[in-house]
Amino acid sequence: MDADPGLSMRSRYLVDAFAPLLRFFTDSTWASRFGKPGVCDFTIGNPHDMPLKSFVDALQSKITPQDAYWYAYKRNEPEARRIVAASLEASHRLPFEPEDIFLTNGATAALHVVLAATVDPGDEVIFLSPPWFQYETMIMNAGGTPVRVRVDPVTFDPDLKAIEAKINGKTKAVIINSPHNPTGRIYSPQTLEALSCILLDGSKQYGRHIRLISDEAYRRIVFDGRTYFSPVCFYPDSFIVYTYGKALLAPGERIGYIALHPDMSHRMEFRSTIPALQMIQGWSFPNALLQHAIGDLEKISVDITHLQAKRDRLVSELLRMGYATQTPEATFYLLVRSPIPDDEEFVQLLTEYDIFCIPGSLMDLPGYFRMSITASDEMIERALPGFEAAIKRVRLQGAS
Ligand SMILES: Cc1ncc(COP(=O)(O)O)c(C=O)c1O
């Protein structure tokens, strides 16, 4: 018998942890129906309308080379760094320097690089649950131990006492994602201030710098004229992780960044380590064209008023039908209570009406399902009778 298992132990361990999500992406009814006529796709934050014209124009305006190096290897291009630093200085009111900005091919790469730069084997990284799908396996990939802390089940705010209780001599970082996928919650200044005190106390008590990794993917997708507060403005030992994929609603064009807080400890060491890790970890820079276009990309956004109108249409219709849901403050997502305890079963039932959502169980939120409001208006209108029929059907079954 062949004693060589072939695959690395690490890949087995990671793929095992990722298996339920992978199955959804590759083997589910949704995966087999993706993009087919008649499908009402509320699963992930994908575009279902044509891309923004301003986005296409921005790329077209930079596609013709202006010098021999236009499409040469690109790393953290000085002009792109300057544009991001100036934008962050205006939005976060902190004196970011261009050298604090590291361009990445999306937030996923940015998170991998930040974790690689901060986590040693055995270190613990706290993440809030329900989480964005990949945090847990990303922490494992970096050699760290993921520590899950559930948000308050009613307010969806971070459970600060629970975070405090999890901090110990091994804690290296806390990932905070506000506005939060999937709850749509924006964390308040009071919450962020209190979190900062907990991290400062923990750092002092255990003699280490607990880092805050602020995943700000949805920072520009905010409804009802609300204000966004960056966690980074409350705690100096912080990294910002950002992606343009949400505001541009073009997640297949990969561009984002890491930014170091201007008062972060070991900032100079990170300035030299992060660019090396970006190269080592698979050349995780955005393509040349995206870096050339970043000045325009900074100014472009999906139509928030239209997104908000889709949110409102869905919330009011689902409530009228008898579903329980809340109005998200931000992000692309709507969390809806499954009318039967088994959310996977209900999501499967919806597929009979060609409606596709994500079961809450895939994100540690059993009893719910998640809908992305990036679905087109036409999909929403087409799906409404199906949602109504599905809830009526489970009610009838419950009554019989
Ligand atoms: C909270 C959060 N962080 C990070 C990402 C990853 O972003 P990107 O597609 O730019 O890698 C996503 C994407 O859905 C997300 O929802």
Side-chain angles (χ1 to χ4, degrees):
M1 204 172 65
D2 190 357
D4 180 357
L7 295 172
S8 67
M9 293 301 286
R10 186 157 155 275
S11 73
R12 283 163 189 257
Y13 155 81
L14 287 172
V15 173
D16 278 355
F18 208 58
L21 191 65
L22 205 60
R23 268 199 300 278
F24 184 80
F25 277 97
T26 57
D27 296 338
S28 63
T29 321
W30 169 70
S32 65
R33 295 280 296 131
F34 180 78
K36 300 259 163 55
V39 165
C40 303
D41 190 349
F42 296 97
T43 53
I44 56 176
N46 245 339
H48 297 284
D49 291 305
M50 287 300 278
L52 293 172
K53 184 176 177 305
S54 48
F55 173 59
V56 177
D57 288 347
L59 297 186
Q60 276 174 346
S61 74
K62 293 291 187 297
I63 202 158
T64 305
Q66 294 175 17
D67 58 53
Y69 299 106
W70 199 248
Y71 291 121
Y73 282 111
K74 297 292 170 192
R75 289 176 289 133
N76 297 302
E77 295 306 295
E79 179 60 4
R81 289 178 122 179
R82 195 193 57 70
I83 288 167
V84 173
S87 164
L88 279 178
E89 186 159 2
S91 59
H92 288 55
R93 297 184 194 286
L94 287 169
F96 289 93
E97 290 177 12
E99 295 75 19
D100 295 325
I101 311 299
F102 307 90
L103 281 307
T104 60
N105 49 356
T108 305
L111 284 160
H112 277 299
V113 169
V114 166
L115 288 167
T118 50
V119 173
D120 278 316
D123 281 344
E124 295 185 358
V125 178
I126 295 174
F127 68 103
L128 302 191
S129 194
W132 177 55
F133 304 111
Q134 295 200 40
Y135 290 147
E136 192 172 15
T137 40
M138 280 180 164
I139 297 164
M140 289 160 64
N141 184 50
T145 305
V147 176
R148 182 186 295 271
V149 176
R150 293 204 162 75
V151 299
D152 183 294
V154 178
T155 62
F156 292 147
D157 275 328
D159 182 341
L160 295 172
K161 284 212 166 67
I163 294 176
E164 191 168 19
K166 290 289 185 190
I167 290 179
N168 59 46
K170 293 183 187 164
T171 309
K172 185 48 85 60
V174 180
I175 303 177
I176 298 291
N177 165 223
S178 175
H180 183 242
N181 171 8
T183 64
R185 190 90 171 114
I186 303 173
Y187 300 154
S188 71
Q190 293 74 16
T191 299
L192 297 174
E193 184 73 58
L195 175 70
S196 162
C197 291
I198 290 168
L199 299 185
L200 285 171
D201 287 351
S203 297
K204 206 155 145 199
Q205 183 177 354
Y206 296 106
R208 51 183 9 209
H209 298 273
I210 300 175
R211 311 289 179 175
L212 190 160
I213 303 170
S214 176
D215 179 345
E216 306 189 357
Y218 298 92
R219 187 175 77 212
R220 286 170 166 146
I221 314 291
V222 170
F223 303 130
D224 308 310
R226 286 175 200 277
T227 306
Y228 168 70
F229 303 95
S230 170
V232 164
C233 298
F234 298 81
Y235 188 70
D237 261 327
S238 306
F239 299 90
I240 294 178
V241 163
Y242 184 71
T243 172
Y244 291 87
K246 310 297 172 188
L248 299 174
L249 196 42
E253 288 297 315
R254 314 284 304 154
I255 180 162
Y257 57 77
I258 299 163
L260 307 180
H261 190 294
D263 298 324
M264 166 177 258
S265 53
H266 309 104
R267 179 172 164 226
M268 293 304 149
E269 287 90 331
F270 283 121
R271 278 186 179 187
S272 56
T273 304
I274 288 179
L277 288 170
Q278 288 175 284
M279 287 197 256
I280 293 165
Q281 302 234 123
W283 203 267
S284 50
F285 306 97
N287 284 341
L289 179 59
L290 290 164
Q291 294 214 44
H292 292 310
I294 199 167
D296 289 333
L297 303 187
E298 264 292 326
K299 297 178 208 137
I300 301 169
S301 168
V302 65
D303 182 350
I304 302 290
T305 313
H306 182 206
L307 263 186
Q308 190 174 309
K310 290 197 279 183
R311 173 201 70 170
D312 293 344
R313 173 84 177 134
L314 278 166
V315 168
S316 68
E317 279 300 293
L318 292 171
L319 289 174
R320 181 190 62 72
M321 295 172 198
Y323 287 92
T325 187
Q326 287 175 340
T327 304
E329 297 172 334
T331 75
F332 288 160
Y333 309 109
L334 196 60
L335 273 182
V336 187
R337 280 235 178 236
S338 166
I340 53 173
D342 187 338
D343 49 281
E344 298 199 37
E345 188 184 330
F346 188 71
V347 163
Q348 192 58 36
L349 172 68
L350 287 173
T351 68
E352 292 182 26
Y353 301 92
D354 242 353
I355 299 171
F356 295 86
C357 301
I358 298 222
S361 299
L362 276 187
M363 53 191 89
D364 190 33
L365 203 61
Y368 283 86
F369 60 93
R370 193 194 77 173
M371 297 176 63
S372 174
I373 58 174
T374 58
S376 64
D377 289 307
E378 189 264 328
M379 281 179 181
I380 292 173
E381 294 311 317
R382 202 155 20 87
L384 291 176
F387 277 110
E388 188 144 33
I391 196 167
K392 279 190 178 147
R393 199 160 130 191
V394 297
R395 279 184 177 153
L396 273 174
Q397 279 164 358
S400 63

